Amino acid sequence: MKPAFYYHPFSSYSQKAETAFYEKGVEFEAKIIDGSEPVQSEFQALWPIKRFPLLVAGERLVFEATSIIEYLDILYPETYRLIPEDPLAAAEVRMWDRFFDNYVSYPQGRLVFAALGREADDGGAKWKAALDTAYALLDRRMEGQEWVAADRFSMADCAAAPFLLYADWSHPIGSRFGHLWAYRQRLLARPSYARALDEARPYRAGFPLGAPVGRD
C-alpha cells in the first residue's frame, strides 16, 4: 500500500520531502492540500497543527519534512539512501539540513511574511543581510565540491533545492557567489527536484514577491 503524502506542490518544505520520494523512487498517494474536500478535512483531523507536509504510512503518522525523509530511508532501505549509513557522514548531512532550514529558509520566510502583511515590513534589511551571510558561507563551502555534504546527493541537498530557489527569488544570489549559483543550477537540474519543481510551476504566479523570470 502506498503511503499517503499530504502536501502542496508550491511549498518549499513539501518540495523537500517530495524530492526525497522521487530520488528514492518511492510511489505515494498524493493528497494535495488546496482547500478542497475531502483532503482538507482528512488532513485537519490527522494533524490539528495544520502544517504540511505530512506522511501517513500504515498506522504511522510522520510530520515535518526532515522526519519524513528519515522515515523513508528506514522504511525503504533497498532504495537510494539520503542519509549515509556512516555515522559521521550522517551527522554532516543532518547538520547541513538544519543549516538550510534555519539560515536560508527562515530568513526567506520572514521576507515573504512581510510581503503578505503577516509581519511588519521594514524593508527586510535584517533578513537580507542574514541571507547574504548564508550565501557567502555556502559559496565558500561549495568551492570544489558537487554536493553540500558527505560527497553525495543527500537529505541536505533535498533541503537546499527549494530553499535556495525561493531565497534567490526573495533576495537574489549575487554574481559574486559563483560557486553557490553553480550549486543551485545543479540542484535545479537534478531529475528528482526538477520533477517536483515542474509540479509547482502552475502556482508560481502566487509568489508574493513576484517569481522572477529565468531564475529557475
Side-chain angles (χ1 to χ4, degrees), residues 40-166:
Q40 191 69 31
S41 293
E42 289 175 12
F43 174 64
Q44 292 180 9
L46 286 165
W47 188 233
I49 300 295
K50 301 178 185 178
R51 298 289 298 274
F52 47 78
L54 182 74
L55 175 70
V56 180
E59 298 299 315
R60 191 181 304 277
L61 184 146
V62 186
F63 53 88
E64 300 292 339
T66 294
S67 299
I68 289 171
I69 296 173
E70 294 260 12
Y71 270 90
L72 289 178
D73 255 7
I74 295 167
L75 294 173
Y76 302 93
E78 72 283 0
T79 62
Y80 179 86
R81 289 191 63 87
L82 291 164
I83 303 167
E85 293 186 79
D86 176 75
L88 286 177
E92 182 180 58
V93 166
R94 290 184 174 102
M95 177 179 70
W96 283 100
D97 172 74
R98 302 314 303 146
F99 180 92
F100 286 108
D101 276 11
N102 292 324
Y103 307 122
V104 177
S105 181
Y106 185 80
Q108 184 271 330
R110 303 283 70 72
L111 294 174
V112 167
F113 283 173
L116 291 171
R118 297 181 185 175
E119 295 183 1
D121 187 357
D122 59 0
K126 173 183 177 181
W127 304 119
K128 291 174 183 178
L131 283 173
D132 280 335
T133 298
Y135 293 166
L137 190 153
L138 284 166
D139 192 65
R140 294 192 297 271
R141 172 72 179 177
M142 297 313 301
E143 184 176 4
Q145 67 183 60
E146 185 176 15
W147 306 114
V148 77
D151 297 320
R152 57 181 292 174
F153 188 89
S154 71
M155 176 172 68
D157 301 296
C158 292
F163 297 163
L164 286 175
L165 176 81
Y166 292 139

Side-chain angles (χ1 to χ4, degrees), residues 143-194:
E143 184 176 4
Q145 67 183 60
E146 185 176 15
W147 306 114
V148 77
D151 297 320
R152 57 181 292 174
F153 188 89
S154 71
M155 176 172 68
D157 301 296
C158 292
F163 297 163
L164 286 175
L165 176 81
Y166 292 139
D168 176 66
W169 286 10
S170 303
H171 179 57
I173 298 171
S175 59
R176 67 188 184 278
F177 302 126
H179 302 300
L180 175 57
W181 183 258
Y183 172 51
R184 182 181 180 275
Q185 295 304 101
R186 288 193 296 276
L187 292 167
L188 293 178
R190 186 78 175 186
S192 54
Y193 182 63

